[in-house]
Amino acid sequence: MFLINCPFCGERDQSEFSSGGEAHIVRPKQPTELSDDQWAEFLFMRKNIKGVQFERWNHSHGCRKWFNVVRDTSNDKIHSVYKMGEKPPVK
Amino acid sequence: MSDLRVHKTKYINETKRVSFKYDGKNYFGYEGDTLASALLANGVHLIGRSFKYHRPRGIMTCGSEEPNAICQISDKNDLTEPNVRATELEIYDGLEAFSQNCWPNVKFDIGGINNLISPLIPAGFYYKTFMWPKSFWKKIYEPLIRMSAGLGKSPTEPDPDIYDHKYVHYDVLVIGGGLSGIISAKIAAKSNLKTLLVDDKKTLGGSTIYQSNDSFKIDDQHSSKWLEKEINEISEIENLTVKTRTSIAAYHGYNYLLARENLTDHLSIKDKKDKIRQRLWKIRAKKVIVATGSIERPLVFNNNDRPGILLSNSINKYLDYYGVACGTNIILFTNNDSAYETAISLHKKGIKNLIVDLRKNSQSEIAKQAQNLGIKIYFNHVVTNTFGYRKINSIELMELSDDGNTTIGNKIKLNCDCLGISGGWTPMVHMHTQSGGKLDFKNDDQVFIPKEIDNDQISVGACNGDFDLETIIDKTVNKINIFLEINNQDYKNINVDCSIEKEKRNIWLLPNKIPLGKTKCFIDFQNDSTAKDIKLALKEGFRSIEHVKRYTTTGMATDQGKLSNMHALGIIADTAGVKMGTLGTTTFRPPFTPLTFGTIVGRNVGKFFEVVRKTSIHDWHVDNKAKFENVGQWKRPWYYPKNGETMHDAVQRESKAARDSAGILDASTLGKIDIQGTDASEFLNRVYTNAWSKLSIGKCRYGLMLNEDGMVYDDGVTTRLAENHYLMTTTTGGAANVLGKLEDYLQTEWPELDVYLTSVTDHYSTASVCGPNSKKIINKIFPELDLSDENFPHMSFKNTKLDNVNCRVMRISFTGELSYEINIESKYGKSLWEKCINAGQEFNITPYGTETMHLLRAEKGFIIVGQDTDGTMTPSDLQMDWIVSKKKYDFIGKRSLYRSDTIREDRKQLVGLLTDDPKEILEEGAQIVSDTNTKPIDMLGHVTSSYFSPNLNKSIALAVVRSGKNMKGKKLIIPMENKNINVTVSDTIFLDKENKRLNA
């Protein structure tokens, strides 16, 4: 159980949060103009890497805000957290 | 005092006799005894039968690593507990313990026959044998395996004991109260750090506290005396908390640990009463110091498992800590110096003993001390066999060849009543690896030691592979100073004398003239795996340690291979000709020792097991004998049986009343989301499939919400309360997820929208009155309200007051009947409900539950999201194309509605089914086929909702069927266990296709 430093509330237990999968996947602005393959790429394709991963997390049992987390999936170390809309840190 | 209680110690209170029963026989011991020490003092070694071969087994260790001496405690159906280690259980007045895994009793056990047929049951026996014939599996193999599986018996009634959870935060947690743990805790606490020291034993001090040998001195005192002084000192330190009888069960990432504290397990039956039995500590520590010490290794040779064979150091502890002699004629078989301490200690108490040492000699101080005392030592010898069925009575030894690969010379037979074995020491790296740490192999000592991982955790003392007194103190002090970034000088001028081991000789599998196949060299004592099994697994091609472990079950018993893992690895490495360090280890997983379920669940049992949500009208439902159904966390009335009605009868009556006159439903549990903001309409346009911009104020609209994959996610009616203000309703079970999904889109995809969402589910209670007489009832309650169709048409709402309390009345229909839903502040819910019941009395207003609601909806072909849909249904699959806007540019899931897969003609689609026999009710979930003769039978779909409709006087069902849209009128078959049911595909709407009843 790790500790997550919510950018709005501070450090809290993981049990207060829920994970939202890979970060920085933007919903296409004009979905109707996409081919099946392009839409499938957005809809289904997610990375699941061993190592440093950019993820979305939600403080669901707290402030209910979504934010981004940079986490190393091999040891659960969280390198940084940042708000939605902020630029991701360079690896 | 029995003859075997040879020595007085401060840990045994001989003024307090404790009586207990073991296998029905009365014994006594003293306060301070464990079950194991008390039994040994009574001369009892034989404790149980082994798992597979049912061989007699005795006490082998003195701690948590015990593989053999596991007992069933208590024979009461609610209190009984299996697999309790006799070596850890402190005795108390009234204790009743039983041996396990034997029938009819431990001395004569029928299962012992397995030992005789053991050549027939090698490693992987189950996998190889129970394969064929296939028909044997259900009737013969499975019952047989189930009968012989498992150790001990589970309780059959709820645990009456009280358990507790506690959350704590510390600067420093020290695991283990031995020498290095105490030093660490003292340094940390004296540096003003809030420190917690835990130890699983009753007293602190580890193995140093009973050290009595003159070769180990600190500041010219026996190391035990010095440590006692330290322990006294730390008890005075204010910011140090010491928890004994507390065992760390799990070490998770980010220094989150679980510890089990035993509070009453050592108390008499009388004193335990009404007290908390065990407490689970949930610990967050900024820094963790692991000082868990090491456990002694056995040696692997033929028949190394007989009762009376103990680890050498355990014999020492039983003697010097508990005052108990494990025998009167003891042989110690070792490959290292630590057995010499045991020998000297035994010698001092007048107990006959001799040493068999694998090594060619030992030049250490302690070895010389033993020789000077006249203790006989067989250097360069190996025990090749042991004898004695229920207890060891003699051994056989031979000389070792130079390379250690074989035995030479003649057999020497020696009598004994106890054999101590020591194959060296294994650092307890469990905590380190549980937390994600990796290991390094240290060749000198043939041990795995922790690889340092980060700056929040450190291992010190024997668990770090430091074994001699001087190194332990020196390194612990240094490492703790660096780790805590402090400069403690308390131990700077300490003067340590200790015997240093100089010679080492490690042989994982000891040589023998007898072929391995005919020996029983046990590695995992609890699961009965032998060296032969490991070699067989390798011969059969298993290479990975993880595979060998599972195939032979080595290390998979309740002790998780605390004694066995190293030997298994060693034998694999030797056989495969690879280096130990390159093999890796198996993973140690929590819990370190088994936890009771009680400890895990704590207070969350019975009515505290799960959160229960009740509507404000709940008490009325209870008073009116409702049966309840769980919907998420909500308790919803399911049906209201009257005068002993069955569920079927009650639902038929309720359904009929709702259509014939009036029914009332508690709809308070439906999710309610208050939506406000200048972009509220645009937001609804994007989340629902239909258009919302043109909905006028005061009007309601049904909406269907999809996932981005185009599948139906939720549905409900949303009301426009004002220009920029909507009230959305969701399904009861979907409320929280819908809110979460909407917030996600607002925060991440559409942050530019000015929209605010508030969950108001609990703020309002909702009574839904339906049926042809509902208008009359509403008119009685709200006489001022103009209910004419012109003023108050279907799908509209009015603000009004009930006795000066604001309410919203919506003319929306759940059931296809003329209906009104009244929303009122929750605290007035029950009073509103009672007013409706009173006003409706003359119309036989009938409260109905979820079952009737589902039936009424099915009659109308209204879907229940989650029952008629399962996350694979598009609106088109549900024949609801009418609700999907063609004009809107985008909404959630739109693009997915014309993916190649979603436009397939042969998707499963919602249809109605009518049984040829109108009395026959289909089973929900039943499979649907068109032909039962061609095999394999083609499955077309399944029944999703099925009822007997009292209003149509026939059975109706909804189902999903492949290409169902084009099947109207087609005959299909529902094959059941005993018969085939013939059905005809119909329209999904069974009743009032023209929706006349809405305006009746």
Side-chain angles (χ1 to χ4, degrees):
Chain A
M1 258 249 253
F2 34 103
L3 292 170
I4 298 174
N5 191 10
C6 170
F8 305 92
C9 307
E11 202 164 66
R12 296 287 192 280
D13 195 285
Q14 184 193 345
S15 59
E16 292 185 16
F17 298 84
S18 37
S19 164
E22 192 182 339
H24 302 298
I25 291 178
V26 181
R27 186 175 188 274
K29 287 271 173 276
Q30 286 143 343
T32 45
E33 273 144 52
L34 300 181
S35 68
D36 268 11
D37 284 352
Q38 287 169 320
W39 180 246
E41 183 66 30
F42 156 76
L43 193 57
F44 300 121
M45 298 308 171
R46 297 293 182 273
K47 287 187 206 118
N48 183 19
I49 52 172
K50 182 177 179 183
V52 176
Q53 182 163 286
F54 293 74
E55 302 173 332
R56 286 154 26 96
W57 282 78
N58 180 226
H59 196 182
S60 44
H61 297 284
C63 64
R64 295 191 64 84
K65 285 283 195 187
W66 284 91
F67 56 94
N68 294 311
V69 169
V70 185
R71 180 175 69 105
D72 188 332
T73 58
S74 69
N75 57 16
D76 281 341
K77 245 195 206 117
I78 291 175
H79 295 299
S80 59
V81 294
Y82 54 100
K83 293 177 185 172
M84 281 294 157
E86 287 180 357
K87 280 222 157 38
V90 186
K91 257 188 213 180
Chain B
M1 195 163 149
S2 80
D3 294 346
L4 292 165
R5 189 79 70 170
V6 293
H7 166 54
K8 276 191 189 304
T9 86
K10 67 177 66 146
Y11 303 105
I12 296 296
N13 180 359
E14 286 182 8
T15 63
K16 285 214 170 146
R17 272 170 65 125
V18 176
S19 63
F20 65 97
K21 274 187 179 176
Y22 181 71
D23 271 346
K25 200 176 156 197
N26 286 308
Y27 294 96
F28 78 86
Y30 297 111
E31 191 181 84
D33 264 325
T34 60
L35 179 58
S37 71
L39 286 170
L40 287 170
N42 283 284
V44 178
H45 276 264
L46 176 61
I47 292 285
R49 292 281 178 154
S50 71
F51 181 54
K52 190 167 160 190
Y53 304 122
H54 290 250
R55 283 168 67 103
R57 289 283 167 79
I59 296 157
M60 206 178 156
T61 73
C62 57
S64 60
E65 69 272 35
E66 177 61 39
N68 290 340
I70 52 176
C71 307
Q72 185 91 29
I73 304 303
S74 168
D75 57 357
K76 302 215 164 48
N77 288 340
D78 50 356
L79 285 169
T80 192
E81 187 179 344
N83 302 331
V84 175
R85 290 157 303 285
T87 50
E88 291 194 298
L89 180 72
E90 296 171 48
I91 55 168
Y92 51 85
D93 267 318
L95 165 67
E96 282 190 79
F98 303 88
S99 48
Q100 291 186 174
N101 208 32
C102 48
W103 184 85
N105 64 54
V106 69
K107 286 185 180 150
F108 175 73
D109 171 28
I110 295 281
I113 196 158
N114 282 5
N115 190 32
L116 302 175
I117 61 160
S118 65
L120 305 176
I121 41 179
F125 169 67
Y126 283 49
Y127 308 123
K128 289 165 182 161
T129 310
F130 299 119
M131 297 283 289
W132 58 81
K134 207 174 151 191
S135 58
F136 272 36
W137 178 253
K138 207 170 173 185
K139 295 258 159 66
I140 298 170
Y141 293 151
E142 195 186 336
L144 206 76
I145 293 170
R146 288 204 183 279
M147 201 172 80
S148 56
L151 288 164
K153 284 193 287 273
S154 311
T156 53
E157 283 168 35
D159 188 344
D161 284 324
I162 308 165
Y163 300 85
D164 204 18
H165 285 182
K166 187 170 180 172
Y167 294 81
V168 291
H169 294 257
Y170 281 92
D171 293 325
V172 177
L173 166 69
V174 182
I175 311 170
L179 177 67
S180 50
I182 286 164
I183 293 173
S184 304
K186 192 176 162 191
I187 295 175
K190 283 180 79 176
S191 310
N192 266 330
L193 297 164
K194 192 183 162 203
T195 305
L196 173 66
L197 170 66
V198 299
D199 193 275
D200 59 350
K201 304 277 190 307
K202 173 186 64 161
T203 49
L204 294 178
S207 59
T208 310
I209 204 69
Y210 55 90
Q211 171 63 257
S212 62
N213 197 285
D214 293 337
S215 301
F216 302 92
K217 288 193 165 168
I218 304 172
D219 287 344
D220 293 327
Q221 311 166 60
H222 275 142
S223 53
S224 56
K225 289 270 174 258
W226 180 87
L227 191 58
E228 256 174 55
K229 196 180 69 208
E230 290 285 296
I231 293 171
N232 287 336
E233 275 180 40
I234 62 168
S235 64
E236 307 288 314
I237 306 177
E238 221 169 75
N239 49 346
L240 174 66
T241 308
V242 178
K243 280 283 161 198
T244 52
R245 294 190 177 105
T246 302
S247 163
I248 299 287
Y251 187 166
H252 298 294
Y254 286 69
N255 282 350
Y256 178 65
L257 298 95
L258 301 175
R260 182 218 27 233
E261 182 185 13
N262 263 331
L263 294 158
T264 64
D265 277 356
H266 59 290
L267 299 180
S268 70
I269 301 260
K270 189 172 67 158
D271 293 331
K272 285 182 205 292
K273 214 172 152 22
D274 299 328
K275 290 187 185 135
I276 295 165
R277 182 188 171 201
Q278 294 176 342
R279 177 174 287 141
L280 188 70
W281 287 61
K282 302 186 176 187
I283 307 166
R284 282 273 185 202
K286 287 190 187 128
K287 302 222 168 199
V288 173
I289 298 167
V290 182
T292 45
S294 56
I295 44 179
E296 200 168 22
R297 285 177 197 165
L299 287 161
V300 179
F301 53 97
N302 193 21
N303 292 315
N304 59 344
D305 67 326
R306 296 192 190 282
I309 302 181
L310 288 87
L311 296 179
S312 153
N313 185 259
S314 297
I315 295 175
N316 195 359
K317 183 166 184 183
Y318 284 119
L319 184 66
D320 286 340
Y321 188 94
Y322 298 103
V324 177
C326 292
T328 53
N329 179 17
I330 298 177
I331 296 174
L332 299 165
F333 177 29
T334 186
N335 68 357
N336 66 87
D337 273 357
S338 58
Y340 288 76
E341 291 173 45
T342 309
I344 293 164
S345 200
L346 287 166
H347 183 87
K348 278 189 188 161
K349 277 109 200 165
I351 299 163
K352 199 176 144 194
N353 73 89
L354 60 84
I355 298 172
V356 179
D357 196 327
L358 285 181
R359 299 173 299 175
K360 287 170 184 158
N361 59 57
S362 175
Q363 299 295 333
S364 66
E365 200 181 308
I366 193 155
K368 280 180 202 150
Q369 200 187 351
Q371 278 166 314
N372 292 340
L373 288 169
I375 296 170
K376 167 106 181 124
I377 304 168
Y378 288 89
F379 280 116
N380 198 32
H381 272 70
V382 58
V383 175
T384 53
N385 208 348
T386 68
F387 306 93
Y389 186 59
R390 282 176 206 143
K391 191 170 172 200
I392 190 166
N393 58 32
S394 57
I395 64 161
E396 216 170 63
L397 55 135
M398 288 178 83
E399 206 179 330
L400 263 175
S401 66
D402 253 4
D403 59 7
N405 288 337
T406 178
T407 53
I408 49 175
N410 295 322
K411 286 177 190 164
I412 307 167
K413 195 157 179 176
L414 298 172
N415 290 330
C416 65
D417 61 359
C418 174
L419 174 68
I421 51 177
S422 177
W425 294 83
T426 300
M428 297 251 259
V429 293
H430 297 67
M431 290 297 122
H432 174 80
T433 54
Q434 273 189 21
S435 75
K438 299 276 180 277
L439 302 172
D440 273 331
F441 190 68
K442 194 170 151 196
N443 246 326
D444 285 357
D445 294 311
Q446 300 275 295
V447 292
F448 284 101
I449 56 166
K451 213 179 236 181
E452 275 180 32
I453 38 173
D454 51 35
N455 52 7
D456 317 335
Q457 185 200 140
I458 201 168
S459 292
V460 294
C463 73
N464 192 42
D466 302 325
F467 293 118
D468 71 75
L469 198 58
E470 195 172 358
T471 313
I472 289 175
I473 296 177
D474 194 41
K475 276 180 79 177
T476 299
V477 172
N478 274 332
K479 286 180 85 170
I480 297 301
N481 269 325
I482 296 165
F483 180 59
L484 299 178
E485 295 167 13
I486 51 174
N487 185 17
N488 180 292
Q489 300 287 328
D490 289 358
Y491 301 94
K492 204 178 173 194
N493 300 315
I494 199 165
N495 179 24
V496 182
D497 297 312
C498 65
S499 170
I500 304 277
E501 184 172 275
K502 299 192 173 83
E503 293 77 16
K504 299 177 199 293
R505 188 181 202 182
N506 188 54
I507 304 170
W508 293 114
L509 173 59
L510 295 167
N512 206 314
K513 283 273 187 288
I514 312 170
L516 186 66
K518 295 197 169 151
T519 64
K520 278 275 183 313
C521 306
F522 284 95
I523 289 177
D524 185 323
F525 293 83
Q526 200 170 101
N527 262 354
D528 266 359
S529 333
T530 62
K532 182 179 70 180
D533 294 330
I534 304 260
K535 291 237 181 189
L536 180 68
L538 290 165
K539 204 182 260 178
E540 292 183 4
F542 292 92
R543 283 294 172 271
S544 149
I545 172 70
E546 295 287 356
H547 292 154
V548 174
K549 167 182 164 177
R550 281 158 183 81
Y551 192 58
T552 62
T553 71
T554 304
M556 290 175 69
T558 65
D559 61 349
Q560 278 199 61
K562 292 187 180 76
L563 294 184
S564 62
N565 283 343
M566 287 304 290
H567 295 88
L569 279 170
I571 292 170
I572 294 170
D574 285 352
T575 311
V578 296
K579 285 208 177 106
M580 272 289 267
T582 61
L583 271 179
T585 59
T586 56
T587 315
F588 296 108
R589 291 201 169 82
F592 176 69
T593 50
L595 283 180
T596 57
F597 280 109
T599 315
I600 296 167
V601 299
R603 306 261 176 177
N604 302 322
V605 290
K607 62 179 175 178
F608 300 118
F609 178 65
E610 202 185 20
V611 176
V612 170
R613 296 175 81 181
K614 297 173 184 168
T615 73
S616 62
I617 310 163
H618 186 84
D619 290 348
W620 190 94
H621 304 317
V622 173
D623 292 345
N624 286 275
K625 311 281 184 292
K627 297 279 181 213
F628 288 90
E629 178 183 33
N630 294 332
V631 183
Q633 291 164 332
W634 286 105
K635 293 276 172 205
R636 294 198 73 180
W638 193 11
Y639 58 99
Y640 300 79
K642 262 189 183 170
N643 313 321
E645 272 177 328
T646 61
M647 176 171 170
H648 177 81
D649 291 345
V651 170
Q652 296 289 304
R653 173 180 51 75
E654 291 170 14
S655 304
K656 193 112 180 58
R659 294 229 191 269
D660 287 352
S661 177
I664 180 166
L665 172 80
D666 182 355
S668 311
T669 62
L670 289 186
K672 295 182 271 293
I673 301 170
D674 184 274
I675 303 174
Q676 298 191 45
T678 50
D679 293 317
S681 303
E682 170 62 15
F683 179 65
L684 289 173
N685 267 333
R686 294 187 192 187
V687 300
Y688 278 128
T689 60
N690 45 347
W692 290 79
S693 314
K694 287 184 188 146
L695 184 71
S696 32
I697 295 167
K699 289 279 165 20
C700 317
R701 183 166 288 172
Y702 174 77
L704 201 59
M705 198 182 289
L706 309 184
N707 259 331
E708 206 65 273
D709 61 5
M711 305 302 156
V712 171
Y713 181 70
D714 203 78
D715 68 345
V717 169
T718 296
T719 304
R720 189 166 197 174
L721 301 172
E723 177 64 24
N724 297 321
H725 190 184
Y726 290 85
L727 180 69
M728 173 189 278
T729 61
T730 72
T731 58
T732 299
N737 291 336
V738 169
L739 179 68
K741 179 184 158 103
L742 300 184
E743 284 179 332
D744 185 354
Y745 275 91
L746 271 180
Q747 287 178 37
T748 64
E749 298 295 349
W750 309 321
E752 72 280 5
L753 292 186
D754 174 40
V755 175
Y756 301 87
L757 305 174
T758 311
S759 168
V760 293
T761 305
D762 296 280
H763 302 40
Y764 301 104
S765 285
T766 307
S768 172
V769 180
C770 79
N773 286 318
S774 57
K775 193 179 270 184
K776 292 176 196 151
I777 296 167
I778 298 300
N779 187 40
K780 279 175 77 178
I781 304 169
F782 303 102
E784 268 116 74
L785 207 56
D786 176 359
L787 297 177
S788 67
D789 285 349
E790 299 73 48
N791 180 56
F792 197 171
H794 181 53
M795 292 310 250
S796 64
F797 104 97
K798 298 285 174 205
N799 281 315
T800 181
K801 278 183 195 287
L802 179 64
D803 299 340
N804 280 327
V805 179
N806 288 330
C807 16
R808 291 179 186 136
V809 180
M810 284 142 183
R811 188 171 161 191
I812 52 180
S813 182
F814 234 83
T815 57
E817 290 299 312
L818 171 67
S819 318
Y820 296 88
E821 269 189 32
I822 311 159
N823 279 4
I824 195 162
E825 234 181 286
S826 274
K827 57 183 168 187
Y828 303 112
K830 196 174 165 213
S831 124
L832 165 72
W833 180 273
E834 282 165 346
K835 276 195 165 41
C836 293
I837 295 283
N838 288 337
Q841 210 146 35
E842 58 176 300
F843 305 102
N844 182 33
I845 190 167
T846 302
Y848 66 92
T850 49
E851 192 67 17
T852 292
M853 175 189 78
H854 287 189
L855 190 159
L856 296 173
R857 283 183 69 87
E859 286 178 337
K860 285 289 298 171
F862 293 166
I863 57 157
I864 305 273
V865 171
Q867 176 159 343
D868 301 306
T869 72
D870 62 0
T872 66
M873 303 298 285
T874 66
S876 178
D877 295 340
L878 296 167
Q879 308 216 35
M880 290 174 77
D881 304 77
W882 53 270
I883 203 171
V884 180
S885 162
K886 302 270 186 303
K887 289 184 198 143
K888 282 200 292 181
Y889 181 68
D890 192 16
F891 54 82
I892 296 172
K894 178 177 168 104
R895 175 62 186 83
S896 292
L897 294 180
Y898 54 94
R899 291 177 51 238
S900 57
D901 184 59
T902 43
I903 54 174
R904 270 191 300 121
E905 297 275 306
D906 62 344
R907 290 179 62 83
K908 284 188 182 170
Q909 292 148 355
L910 190 76
V911 295
L913 293 181
L914 291 171
T915 48
D916 288 4
D917 171 4
K919 293 264 174 289
E920 182 91 64
I921 306 170
L922 299 175
E923 262 185 46
E924 288 173 359
Q927 290 293 317
I928 302 167
V929 305
S930 62
D931 173 12
T932 54
N933 297 319
T934 321
K935 289 182 180 165
I937 297 174
D938 195 16
M939 308 292 220
L940 299 180
H942 64 273
V943 179
T944 59
S945 296
S946 170
Y947 303 94
F948 186 81
S949 160
N951 300 303
L952 297 159
N953 199 25
K954 66 179 178 191
S955 158
I956 56 166
L958 293 172
V960 290
V961 176
R962 192 199 304 155
S963 305
K965 272 190 208 172
N966 304 320
M967 278 193 179
K968 208 180 283 180
K970 196 168 167 22
K971 297 266 180 202
L972 293 173
I973 302 164
I974 316 274
M976 298 303 292
E977 207 171 353
N978 305 316
K979 61 178 172 188
N980 289 337
I981 302 171
N982 296 315
V983 297
T984 308
V985 178
S986 74
D987 198 70
T988 54
I989 306 170
F990 301 98
L991 182 116
D992 185 28
K993 285 195 174 60
E994 305 78 23
N995 290 330
K996 283 186 183 150
R997 305 181 70 96
L998 284 174
N999 298 307

